[in-house]
């Protein structure tokens, strides 16, 4: 009997140790299972992201190829148009005779009075068309009014006439530009 108490205590101690070891191993298995699930979920997410990344790269490559093809097509079209225009210009040049034109081709200078003094312009003519107008000198003009008045230049070129409205707020400057163009056209008239 004396050992019976001792044996019972050792058995209880062994049972407690077995329960602790069993609990720890169960916890370890649960933790490993949870980690495995998390790893599996992360792996699936990574695979999904890689797939999306691959799809986006493919789409971007396709867009880049399409853009390059469009640019090449535009360049080709521009070359074709330029060749057609050159051919048409050559045909037009062969057909037209300078003596039939109202104005001689070239660049002519004209001057007129503006708001603050004389305004000088250069008018470029080709085949009876006004192709360009540049204000070359306007020393007495206020720069704000002059730049506003230069808006009349696009009107003259698009109308191919000096019979256009002056620019409101810069009436004297725009009138000076119109009159300077008239002066230049007078110098360009075919005799």
């Amino acid at each position: 009997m004396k050992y019976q108490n001792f044996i019972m205590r050792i058995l209880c101690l062994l049972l407690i140790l077995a329960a602790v070891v069993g609990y720890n191993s169960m916890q370890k298995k649960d933790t490993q299972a949870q980690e495995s699930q998390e790893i599996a979920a992360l792996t699936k997410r990574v695979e999904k992201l890689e797939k999306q990344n691959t799809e986006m790269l493919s789409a971007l490559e396709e867009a880049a190829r399409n853009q390059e093809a469009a640019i090449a097509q535009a360049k080709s079209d521009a070359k074709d148009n330029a060749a057609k225009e050159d051919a048409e210009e050559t045909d037009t040049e062969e057909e037209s005779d300078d003596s039939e034109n109202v104005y001689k081709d070239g660049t002519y200078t004209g001057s007129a009075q503006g708001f603050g003094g004389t305004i000088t312009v250069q008018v470029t003519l080709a085949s009876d068309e006004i192709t360009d107008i540049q204000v070359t000198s306007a020393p007495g003009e206020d720069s704000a009014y002059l730049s506003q008045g230069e808006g009349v230049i696009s009107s003259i070129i698009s109308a191919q006439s000096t019979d256009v409205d002056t620019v409101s707020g810069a009436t004297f400057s725009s009138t000076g530009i119109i009159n300077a163009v008239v002066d230049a056209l007078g110098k360009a008239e075919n005799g």
Side-chain angles (χ1 to χ4, degrees), residues 8-141:
M8 285 301 272
R9 284 187 181 176
I10 288 184
L11 282 175
C12 283
L13 183 62
L14 287 174
L15 280 173
I16 291 172
L17 283 174
V20 168
V21 168
Y23 178 76
N24 280 341
S25 67
M26 284 175 56
Q27 282 293 85
K28 200 179 247 186
K29 283 183 186 177
D30 286 348
T31 304
Q32 286 176 346
Q34 189 177 1
E35 286 176 356
S36 297
Q37 288 175 348
E38 288 176 1
I39 288 172
L42 287 175
T43 304
K44 285 181 183 177
R45 283 188 69 197
V46 167
E47 289 172 357
K48 188 176 179 181
L49 288 173
E50 285 176 348
K51 184 179 176 184
Q52 288 176 344
N53 192 21
T54 304
E55 289 172 357
M56 286 194 303
L57 284 174
S58 297
L60 286 173
E61 288 171 354
E62 173 104 16
R65 282 193 297 270
N66 290 342
Q67 187 175 16
E68 288 173 2
I71 290 171
Q73 183 65 37
K75 285 182 181 177
S76 172
D77 290 348
K79 285 180 183 176
D80 291 347
N81 288 342
K84 286 179 185 175
E85 287 175 6
D86 287 344
E88 289 173 3
E89 285 178 15
T90 303
D91 292 345
T92 305
E93 286 172 7
E94 291 171 2
E95 292 171 7
S96 68
D97 185 4
D98 239 10
S99 63
E100 295 175 10
N101 292 341
V102 176
Y103 300 109
K104 294 179 231 166
D105 291 352
T107 301
Y108 300 90
T109 304
S111 298
Q113 186 65 29
F115 179 72
T118 303
I119 297 175
T120 305
V121 299
Q122 277 188 340
V123 179
T124 304
L125 298 164
S127 302
D128 269 353
E129 287 191 17
I130 301 170
T131 58
D132 188 35
I133 301 171
Q134 296 290 323
V135 175
T136 57
S137 172
E141 291 295 304

